[in-house]
Amino acid sequence: MSQIAVLITHRTKPGQRDTVRAIWHRHMAPAVQANDGHDAYFYCVDPAVPDVVCAFQVYRDAAASAAFLTTNAYRDYEHEVTPFLLGPPDVKQLVPVWSKE
């Protein structure tokens, strides 16, 4: 299994989660849908924690993960969303060792 998983946690400025989510939908949803390198992608919110969003992504391999970060869609998203975040995201790279197909 050469897949790479990435767990990203963004902390938004107070009350800005819906703004961040709208920006994500505008830029990232279509980019992820069109990206063959993504095997899975989950954009998640915790109803009990109002100023956090998480994304869990599974890429075909490390090269696909790195390539996605160079796309115009990702750069545009990052530029637009940054003012609504408290700081850089927490990013964990994981190696899947089992999955249900």
Side-chain angles (χ1 to χ4, degrees):
M1 196 180 261
S2 64
Q3 292 176 310
I4 294 295
V6 181
L7 176 61
I8 300 171
T9 303
H10 283 288
R11 300 205 181 283
T12 71
K13 290 182 178 175
Q16 295 300 312
R17 182 168 71 182
D18 288 344
T19 301
V20 168
R21 189 172 170 190
I23 294 167
W24 183 89
H25 276 283
R26 184 169 40 261
H27 294 285
M28 301 308 292
V32 170
Q33 286 287 359
N35 183 23
D36 290 338
H38 274 106
D39 289 339
Y41 195 114
F42 299 87
Y43 188 80
C44 307
V45 298
D46 181 343
V49 184
D51 297 324
V52 172
V53 293
C54 297
F56 179 73
Q57 309 171 46
V58 179
Y59 288 93
R60 176 182 58 235
D61 54 32
S65 175
F68 189 72
L69 298 178
T70 68
T71 63
N72 289 335
Y74 183 78
R75 283 190 292 248
D76 292 346
Y77 163 76
E78 195 172 49
H79 176 75
E80 189 174 345
V81 80
T82 297
F84 302 100
L85 302 174
L86 286 177
D90 176 49
V91 180
K92 291 183 177 31
Q93 251 195 16
L94 308 166
V95 177
V97 295
W98 185 90
S99 66
K100 178 181 175 181
E101 303 282 336

